[in-house]
């Protein structure tokens, strides 16, 4: 039986997670948040005090880590049985994730873990290389982006909403540094598949983006 796949790639903060979750819910499909796999590995490395220059140990931890995902209103992630959901979205976790994501051997180990999410009745996969490397065969591909200022403002509001101290200028700088690292790396860089639908969400609401993506599927 054929399993349909919709890939949604783009830079951090473009709204991929929210849009992907809503589209997956509407379609009744599974959801893969591939960034959370890289983030989980970042947490596993911190817990094991692994130096980020020690590639052999990083690959070993990537290989051995056991991840469980519970996809409700909020994504709950367990690493080797421990709930790590609260640590996933820390800025420090994202930064380490982005650094280890440049390692070819790490990407190779994580490839199968991501492809295992492809199950009937279908999959919505969000990340950087979903349409180009992990699911190149996907029939529907989206590249979702927004200006770095808009993305920084959204992140700032989220943090302030959670009563976490935040600095808009610093957040914008961090976002731009992460963009550069994700786009300039040699292996599976953030890039738009030439068959993807390009959506700039800078001046769109979440509902408008969801509608445009659902139109693509239909
Ligand atoms: O989407 P995110 O911010 O949770 O991803 C965290 C980091 O993981 C991102 O900076 C780069 C890496 N990543 C990747 O290289 N490939 C993916 N498909 C998803 C994330």
């Amino acid at each position: 039986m054929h399993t349909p796949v919709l890939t949604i790639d783009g830079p951090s903060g473009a709204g991929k997670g929210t849009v992907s979750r809503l589209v997956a819910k509407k379609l009744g499909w599974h959801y893969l948040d591939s960034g959370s796999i890289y983030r989980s590995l970042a947490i596993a490395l911190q817990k094991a005090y692994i130096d980020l220059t020690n590639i052999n140990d990083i690959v070993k931890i990537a290989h051995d880590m056991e991840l469980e995902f519970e996809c409700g209103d909020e994504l709950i992630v367990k690493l080797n049985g421990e709930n790590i959901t609260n640590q996933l979205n820390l800025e420090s976790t994202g930064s380490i994730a982005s650094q280890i994501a440049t390692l070819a051997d790490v990407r190779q180990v994580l490839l199968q873990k991501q492809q295992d999410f492809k199950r009937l009745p279908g999959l919505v996969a969000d990340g950087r290389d979903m349409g180009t490397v992990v699911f190149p065969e996907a029939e529907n591909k989206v590249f979702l982006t927004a200006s770095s200022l808009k993305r920084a403002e959204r992140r700032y509001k989220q943090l302030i909403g959670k009563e976490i101290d935040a600095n808009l200028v610093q957040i914008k700088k961090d976002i731009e540094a992460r963009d550069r690292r994700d786009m300039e790396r040699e292996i599976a860089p953030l890039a738009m598949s030439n068959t993807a639908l390009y959506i700039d969400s800078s001046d769109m609401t979440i509902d408008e983006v969801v509608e445009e993506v659902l139109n693509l599927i239909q």
Side-chain angles (χ1 to χ4, degrees):
M1 277 271 267
H2 173 72
T3 306
V5 177
L6 162 69
T7 60
I8 304 190
D9 288 307
S12 62
K16 295 184 308 269
T18 311
V19 169
S20 302
R21 247 192 300 277
L22 288 170
V23 170
K25 200 169 177 188
K26 276 247 159 71
L27 296 170
W29 289 6
H30 300 283
Y31 168 53
L32 164 62
D33 171 358
S34 62
S36 70
I37 296 188
Y38 289 88
R39 285 172 183 268
S40 300
L41 175 57
I43 293 168
L45 297 175
Q46 283 176 296
K47 284 188 187 296
Y49 300 103
I50 302 292
D51 190 297
L52 294 186
T53 56
N54 187 343
I55 297 182
N56 287 345
D57 281 3
I58 297 177
V59 171
K60 185 173 183 320
I61 299 254
H63 192 267
D64 292 348
M65 69 178 180
E66 279 190 22
L67 295 176
E68 293 164 66
F69 291 84
E70 287 166 29
C71 224
D73 282 340
E74 196 208 355
L75 182 72
I76 293 178
V77 181
K78 288 186 186 162
L79 165 70
N80 303 327
E82 183 192 345
N83 188 336
I84 55 162
T85 311
N86 287 341
Q87 299 156 60
L88 274 183
N89 286 323
L90 296 178
E91 222 45 57
S92 52
T93 306
S95 169
I96 295 175
S98 161
Q99 292 172 56
I100 53 178
T102 60
L103 303 170
D105 290 349
V106 168
R107 300 198 76 87
Q108 189 54 39
V109 172
L110 299 186
L111 186 63
Q112 190 62 51
K113 289 189 197 279
Q114 296 170 80
Q115 289 171 337
D116 289 345
F117 277 75
K118 182 173 166 180
R119 290 190 302 265
L120 285 169
L123 175 68
V124 180
D126 113 40
R128 305 290 188 291
D129 60 344
M130 298 294 100
T132 50
V133 176
V134 182
F135 303 107
E137 75 286 6
E139 42 284 276
N140 291 297
K141 299 179 184 180
V142 169
F143 190 85
L144 182 61
T145 188
S147 70
S148 57
L149 178 61
K150 280 281 164 150
R151 289 186 281 134
E153 283 171 357
R154 289 173 189 164
R155 180 82 186 129
Y156 176 80
K157 275 187 200 150
Q158 263 175 4
L159 291 171
I160 295 296
K162 288 183 191 163
E163 296 182 1
I164 298 174
D165 242 1
N167 176 315
L168 181 60
V169 176
Q170 188 57 46
I171 293 176
K172 183 166 172 282
K173 268 195 197 152
D174 290 346
I175 281 185
E176 287 168 351
R178 180 108 69 91
D179 284 357
R180 271 196 300 280
R181 199 156 44 216
D182 291 349
M183 285 190 281
E184 288 171 7
R185 69 176 178 229
E186 278 177 34
I187 320 290
L190 168 62
M192 184 171 139
S193 155
N194 51 16
T195 55
L197 171 72
Y198 179 88
I199 303 177
D200 183 335
S201 72
S202 299
D203 298 310
M204 292 170 81
T205 63
I206 291 288
D207 286 347
E208 286 169 339
V209 178
V210 168
E211 201 182 316
E212 202 166 323
V213 174
L214 287 172
N215 282 341
L216 173 74
I217 304 277
Q218 281 139 21

